Amino acid sequence: MLQGSILQQLEASHRHSARPIHFGVYYKNTLVSLCHALEDHILTKDNDPLVITAFQQGKWYLEEAQRYADIAQHSREIVIMATADAGFAEHPTGQLPNIDLVGLAADDPVAQEWHLIILAPDYTAMVICQELSEADYGKDGLPTCDLERKFYGLWTFEPELVEETAELAIAHIKDYHPELALKLSQYKQAIHPAICPGEEVATVVSRVVDYLKTGQGNLPILTASHQKFLDRNLVSNEIQAFLRMAQLIDLADSRNPVAASEVASLAETMGQLLDLPAWQIKRLRLAALLHRLDPMQKAKSLISPTHITTAYQEEAASCPLACPLVPGAQALRIMPRLRAIAQIITHQSEWWNGAGEPAGLAGDDIPLESRILSLVAEFQLQINQYKYLSEGGAEIFAQSLDQCRKQQSTRFDPKLVDTLTLLVMGLQQGLDLPIMTPKVSSGLWLLDSRWDTDNKSSEQISMYSK
């Protein structure tokens, strides 16, 4: 990272914190799709966001200038940073009253960065990346094709992180335009962003996934090896979109803010007790991380009807458990590698006696992973509730297990309740489960056939210490 760049300052402030930032590498076409999705969401709202961007060079801004003229109609203030070349200041968009241009010096480290920071009361989003240096590219050197350009950074919806980055950007702008920086600080102070409502971020996530797929489809013919890299990058970013949404859902629940990670750990341990194969445990783990995506069931789908129909027909032909789709499942199901995950999540609300939804499946007709997920999610919820009602301790495991036993053979698979009983015995005797927080910036490891220990971080902690 370039010393003094906004990305470097952000990384440094979190380097030794309890929540260090995990960065990823993104191809240019991925960033274009991400930014267009986040920008176009502004066009659907009238909440006057503060928007701060960095385009590296003026010529890249000129390619998007007309889009920003439209975005300005829905924004309170837009600041655009780039080196002042290629008619940067002459385009009519730059003359609009709520758009300010900041011409960066050629040696400014921010001139190597690509930013999009959106700050509104009910919607925050950010893309912040820095182009790889020649040394970063290694022996192959700088790419000759624009599509092969790579950037190091992250994207997120998390309000606190977006606010912090906006402050860093405003401080950088102050070196060029102190009066503008003062105005931006006042605008920022007037905005009190909250975590996006579930349905709001679900719509944004659907848009991101759709734009990623559309952007991939518009690429020119590539070599097989390059296409493989781009395909993996696409899938990884689609998974990231859903994981980020799951994180926000957890953060919005102040009484159960780590539900997804805890349910994933419980589900994985249950899978090990049942001696499930590694590929099935990994699939179960991803479904557990995404199991709270209920708001997506209510969000308006942005996936094209053609994609939905094709995906549904393919799945229906190969999977007898296919049932009428809902928007949240559609967004997952159009991704071939996530259709099994969509099925697990969809059928987690089935009951052992057939009284559940959405398909009224009963007994062993319910996918095994769905049965496991249903049980451990309820167990985790019960534990979390008991934490607030008692002093904690080993008895909360027994109390939570008793609540699950009351629904044995009606809602839950009786054999799985027996397995959960074994797990609870271990917890009562001091078993610590690893709570793994996935590096959202590299979500592909959740689907790869190999368990790559370099792509996950784990910390042995006691799950339910109060």
Side-chain angles (χ1 to χ4, degrees):
M1 291 184 199
L2 296 176
Q3 189 67 28
S5 67
I6 295 175
L7 188 70
Q8 183 270 328
Q9 294 178 62
L10 185 65
E11 186 277 333
S13 68
H14 287 263
R15 187 176 303 158
H16 303 296
S17 71
R19 295 182 60 197
I21 299 175
H22 300 299
F23 299 100
V25 176
Y26 303 89
Y27 283 96
K28 179 182 176 179
N29 70 298
T30 298
L31 292 182
V32 170
S33 297
L34 279 172
C35 289
H36 283 180
L38 299 177
E39 291 164 353
D40 283 0
H41 188 69
I42 297 175
L43 301 177
T44 69
K45 309 285 291 183
D46 288 308
N47 53 10
D48 295 330
L50 170 63
V51 181
I52 303 175
T53 69
F55 278 95
Q56 296 182 291
Q57 300 177 27
K59 65 178 182 179
W60 303 126
Y61 153 68
L62 290 178
E63 292 184 2
E64 305 288 337
Q66 187 53 53
R67 283 177 54 80
Y68 272 80
D70 297 333
I71 295 170
Q73 298 180 32
H74 298 263
S75 303
R76 180 170 187 175
E77 181 77 16
I78 297 177
V79 178
I80 298 169
M81 294 184 282
T83 56
D85 56 9
F88 172 73
E90 285 72 32
H91 193 281
T93 295
Q95 312 305 316
L96 296 175
N98 63 335
I99 290 185
D100 284 286
L101 304 180
V102 177
L104 300 176
D107 59 352
D108 190 327
V110 177
Q112 300 301 318
E113 295 188 309
W114 181 336
H115 300 169
L116 173 62
I117 304 168
I118 302 170
L119 199 61
D122 60 348
Y123 169 55
T124 61
M126 174 176 72
V127 174
I128 175 169
C129 292
Q130 188 175 113
E131 186 158 16
L132 269 61
S133 67
E134 184 173 2
D136 293 327
Y137 280 105
K139 63 179 181 179
D140 294 332
L142 294 171
T144 57
C145 174
D146 193 46
L147 289 173
E148 295 178 348
R149 292 169 61 203
K150 297 177 184 178
F151 295 77
Y152 183 70
L154 81 155
W155 63 280
T156 184
F157 300 113
E158 191 174 338
E160 290 184 1
L161 203 55
V162 176
E163 280 194 275
E164 180 183 353
T165 308
E167 291 177 359
L168 293 173
I170 292 171
H172 195 81
I173 292 168
K174 185 177 180 180
D175 293 336
Y176 291 91
H177 295 293
E179 292 182 1
L180 173 60
L182 178 60
K183 181 175 68 172
L184 295 176
S185 294
Q186 293 171 343
Y187 285 164
K188 180 185 173 299
Q189 291 173 5
I191 298 172
H192 303 286
I195 294 175
C196 304
E199 293 184 33
E200 177 84 7
V201 75
T203 301
V204 181
V205 167
S206 289
R207 190 185 300 275
V208 167
V209 173
D210 197 28
Y211 279 38
L212 286 169
K213 284 191 171 294
T214 303
Q216 189 83 343
N218 293 336
L219 292 174
I221 297 175
L222 304 170
T223 64
S225 60
H226 193 199
Q227 185 66 54
K228 179 181 178 180
F229 284 123
L230 289 179
D231 286 344
R232 288 175 61 84
N233 191 260
L234 169 68
V235 173
S236 179
N237 279 281
E238 289 174 328
I239 297 171
Q240 286 179 48
F242 291 111
L243 288 173
R244 291 180 196 284
M245 180 179 173
Q247 283 183 333
L248 280 185
I249 291 171
D250 272 1
L251 288 172
D253 186 352
S254 60
R255 292 183 67 87
N256 200 3
V258 290
S261 295
E262 291 185 347
V263 169
S265 184
L266 285 166
E268 185 173 3
T269 304
M270 284 280 287
Q272 292 168 348
L273 289 173
L274 294 166
D275 201 25
L276 298 183
W279 63 266
Q280 196 169 15
I281 292 177
K282 184 176 288 189
R283 191 169 71 176
L284 176 60
R285 175 167 179 73
L286 179 54
L289 288 170
L290 300 177
H291 83 281
R292 300 184 92 187
L293 294 188
D294 178 69
M296 287 208 75
Q297 316 297 342
K298 306 177 183 66
K300 179 181 178 182
S301 177
L302 298 173
I303 308 300
S304 68
T306 301
H307 286 161
I308 293 171
T309 302
T310 301
Y312 179 76
Q313 289 175 343
E314 291 177 358
E315 183 181 30
S318 61
C319 180
L321 292 175
C323 59
L325 299 182
V326 289
Q330 288 170 359
L332 287 171
R333 289 177 191 258
I334 66 167
M335 299 170 59
R337 300 181 75 176
L338 286 186
R339 288 179 197 159
I341 306 301
Q343 177 176 283
I344 294 169
I345 294 172
T346 296
H347 294 288
Q348 67 176 313
S349 52
E350 306 284 1
W351 282 37
W352 180 256
N353 65 3
E357 297 178 344
L361 301 177
D364 290 332
D365 287 339
I366 306 170
L368 174 59
E369 296 101 322
S370 300
R371 283 178 271 151
I372 296 173
L373 183 56
S374 175
L375 177 59
V376 298
E378 177 64 22
F379 180 66
Q380 188 275 342
L381 178 63
Q382 291 294 333
I383 285 177
N384 194 69
Q385 291 176 344
Y386 279 119
K387 281 196 302 184
Y388 291 96
L389 297 175
S390 67
E391 294 299 321
E395 67 273 9
I396 67 174
F397 300 125
Q399 293 169 331
S400 301
L401 177 61
D402 285 343
Q403 293 300 317
C404 294
R405 278 178 173 161
K406 290 178 181 179
Q407 302 179 77
Q408 187 172 4
S409 299
T410 55
R411 180 180 174 187
F412 300 125
D413 181 343
K415 300 184 296 295
L416 292 181
V417 174
D418 291 341
T419 304
L420 180 61
T421 301
L422 294 175
L423 175 56
V424 168
M425 291 173 60
L427 292 171
Q428 290 174 324
Q429 294 174 21
L431 171 68
D432 284 348
L433 299 184
I435 305 300
M436 296 182 184
T437 302
K439 292 183 178 180
V440 177
S441 60
S442 53
L444 194 61
W445 66 270
L446 287 160
L447 288 180
D448 281 347
S449 59
R450 293 175 297 171
W451 187 268
D452 184 356
T453 56
D454 291 335
N455 285 337
K456 68 182 192 305
S457 60
S458 63
E459 181 179 5
Q460 294 290 333
I461 62 174
S462 179
M463 273 187 69
Y464 302 110
S465 56
K466 189 172 180 181

